[in-house]
Amino acid sequence: MAKLRAAVVGCGGMGRCHLSALQKMEELELVAACDVMQATLDRRAEEFTMPRTFTDLSAMLEEVRPEVVAVATQTRQHREVVLACAEAGVRGILCEKPLALDLAECDEMLDACTRHGVQMAVNHQGHLRPTTLRAQAMVEQGVIGDLLVVRGVNKGGRKCGNELMEMGTHTTDRMICFGGHATWCHAFVTWDGRAATAADIMDAQEMSPRDRDSGLVLGHRLFAQYGFQRAPFGEMAMYAWEKTLAYGVDLIGTRGQLMLRGSRMDGGLLHLDSPIFDPTRGLDQWNPVTGLPEEPVWGSMDDSVCVMYQHLLRAIETGEPHPSSGDVGRHALEMVMAIYESHRRGARVALPLQDRTHPLDRWKREGG
Ligand SMILES: NC(=O)c1ccc[n+]([C@@H]2O[C@H](COP(=O)([O-])OP(=O)(O)OC[C@H]3O[C@@H](n4cnc5c(N)ncnc54)[C@H](O)[C@@H]3O)[C@@H](O)[C@H]2O)c1
């Protein structure tokens, strides 16, 4: 396959990571970068070879005609950038997470991609991490028996409202890797130690000015239960604890358990030959799963982004969806929206959600 022309839109923190990844990829040629801030483009031009830079997206799309685009703006701008790229004939998009502010936006973006024949992928890199792939194979081989519970463990360090939009879809995405799509959700969200109400809904940057602009958020702590296509139970707790190495996914089966963690913790994948939670069994009784790919492929964030591009190129070539496709990325956000919808209604909700607008926006307008 001839080299495809690639461009990055949004050259802040994560845009820098995409620029770095694209410069490493032999199959792609970085032809342009776009950011509304000229100063940001100037800073990036000192680090990377960027043949053309633009502060205007339509000018870039018209003049450069990129075939692959990284969408690395903050979430509020994902929709407008993706729609413009789809209409301009881009063949593949790697969009940052979360895909959009709500499901209505996701639907509009994915419809446009389908209409224009664009392969859309969402940059949840955990989807293709060696630990995820190996654990999927082990579950498939029956190493832990029948899968009963998929548990997402959050990274911590934030109130759950912000955490859901910052890290939450990485967690729900990884739960989807094992459970398939969620079929129901029952959640409870607290604020100040009581049930969160419509009056507690705020913008992400009001909850934490250090975080990104990711729309409406709610809650300090939460507990959510799910049912999945391939597992009867799922759960996710966000207790706003300190940042922790426990961030990851636990899989509990009828015969054993798998614990997926970051690479700093025993290579990231541990196996316990028992389905029973037993506090007397320490970490020393868990067996590290060995033989996972070594560095440098997984040594840095941009290397894991390279893997996402490799799969995007394959999707463009074959017409098969990316493993972390737009549809999967939308479902990862749907699991977050279902938490709010369930809490708002005080009831278990079925997925897919019928109303695609933001549950918090509706709740706020209804005044509780
Ligand atoms: N996948 C991951 O692991 C990971 C990690 C960090 C951040 N992210 C995601 O990456 C995205 C960007 O986060 P960030 O921290 O880089 O944000 P950032 O604010 O550092 O960068 C965003 C950039 O987009 C530019 N921008 C805004 N509107 C634009 C437009 N219409 N056209 C072109 N440029 C525009 C801004 O000027 C800014 O430079 C977010 O969605 C975030 O959640 C993903």
Side-chain angles (χ1 to χ4, degrees):
M1 194 168 165
K3 274 192 177 195
L4 296 186
R5 295 188 306 281
V8 175
V9 182
C11 298
M14 201 56 201
R16 182 180 179 282
C17 183
H18 283 273
L19 288 166
S20 172
L22 286 168
Q23 284 215 329
K24 289 183 185 177
M25 293 213 42
E26 286 175 5
E27 308 90 328
L28 286 165
E29 185 187 356
L30 177 62
V31 291
C34 170
D35 197 290
V36 287
M37 305 294 290
Q38 183 61 49
T40 303
L41 288 170
D42 293 344
R43 219 170 45 245
R44 295 296 173 235
E46 288 170 14
E47 287 178 87
F48 301 102
T49 312
M50 305 186 304
R52 308 271 318 260
T53 57
F54 294 82
T55 51
D56 179 56
L57 175 63
S58 6
M60 184 190 85
L61 292 172
E62 205 176 303
E63 289 178 37
V64 179
R65 303 231 151 257
E67 292 158 300
V68 170
V69 172
V71 180
T73 62
Q74 294 200 13
T75 311
R76 190 173 294 282
Q77 289 88 36
H78 289 179
R79 175 188 162 275
E80 69 191 56
V81 177
V82 166
L83 293 182
C85 290
E87 274 158 31
V90 165
R91 297 175 66 191
I93 295 174
L94 181 56
C95 183
E96 268 311 330
K97 59 81 209 164
L99 180 54
L101 295 180
D102 63 33
L103 296 173
E105 287 193 355
C106 292
D107 293 347
E108 192 184 0
M109 291 153 74
L110 297 191
D111 285 352
C113 288
T114 305
R115 244 190 352 269
H116 293 281
V118 185
Q119 285 286 356
M120 159 73 96
V122 181
N123 197 32
H124 290 126
Q125 308 95 304
H127 207 94
L128 292 169
R129 282 190 76 89
T131 44
T132 307
L133 302 179
R134 174 62 69 87
Q136 280 173 325
M138 290 173 78
V139 171
E140 185 80 8
Q141 290 155 10
V143 173
I144 61 168
D146 295 336
L147 183 59
L148 292 176
V149 183
V150 180
R151 183 162 58 204
V153 183
N154 71 311
K155 189 168 186 177
R158 288 181 167 99
K159 293 187 177 68
C160 73
N162 279 70
E163 175 110 35
L164 280 173
M165 293 304 272
E166 289 286 341
M167 301 305 298
T169 59
H170 276 305
T171 303
T172 52
D173 172 71
R174 252 180 148 192
M175 293 168 82
I176 293 168
C177 289
F178 300 97
H181 279 203
T183 52
W184 58 263
C185 171
H186 199 166
F188 184 67
V189 184
T190 70
W191 184 256
D192 270 348
R194 53 165 172 79
T197 68
D200 305 316
I201 297 169
M202 56 186 81
D203 276 309
Q205 290 180 323
E206 189 185 347
M207 184 173 282
S208 168
R210 284 173 302 136
D211 276 331
R212 303 179 185 93
D213 177 14
S214 53
L216 295 177
V217 294
L218 174 72
H220 188 184
R221 300 191 162 100
L222 75 83
F223 186 74
Q225 296 170 315
Y226 295 98
F228 286 101
Q229 289 167 328
R230 297 199 295 267
F233 308 111
E235 63 178 54
M236 181 164 65
M238 290 192 173
Y239 298 140
W241 44 33
E242 295 297 308
K243 267 192 193 162
T244 166
L245 289 181
Y247 172 52
V249 171
D250 299 332
L251 305 171
I252 303 171
T254 49
R255 288 213 310 271
Q257 304 182 48
L258 287 168
M259 193 196 291
L260 287 82
R261 291 296 179 270
S263 53
R264 278 179 295 163
M265 195 167 145
D266 282 321
L269 180 59
L270 301 168
H271 173 228
L272 181 67
D273 203 11
S274 161
I276 309 296
F277 171 72
D278 175 356
T280 62
R281 295 183 74 146
L283 264 186
D284 55 333
Q285 295 183 30
W286 288 75
N287 300 312
V289 176
T290 54
L292 295 165
E294 297 289 333
E295 316 257 321
V297 177
W298 294 97
S300 66
M301 175 101 99
D302 41 312
D303 286 334
S304 63
V305 175
C306 285
V307 175
M308 300 301 279
Y309 281 113
Q310 278 154 4
H311 281 268
L312 183 59
L313 290 173
R314 205 166 302 154
I316 291 171
E317 202 178 339
T318 63
E320 293 297 317
H322 193 287
S324 177
S325 65
D327 183 54
V328 178
R330 169 171 57 187
H331 194 73
L333 183 68
E334 185 151 11
M335 285 176 65
V336 168
M337 293 295 148
I339 289 174
Y340 288 138
E341 184 64 7
S342 167
H343 177 75
R344 181 179 87 89
R345 286 202 225 155
R348 197 172 88 150
V349 295
L351 277 77
L353 296 172
Q354 294 305 307
D355 194 324
R356 311 296 285 173
T357 58
H358 201 307
L360 296 182
D361 190 34
R362 255 178 291 134
W363 201 14
K364 206 172 156 189
R365 278 190 279 112
E366 288 161 8

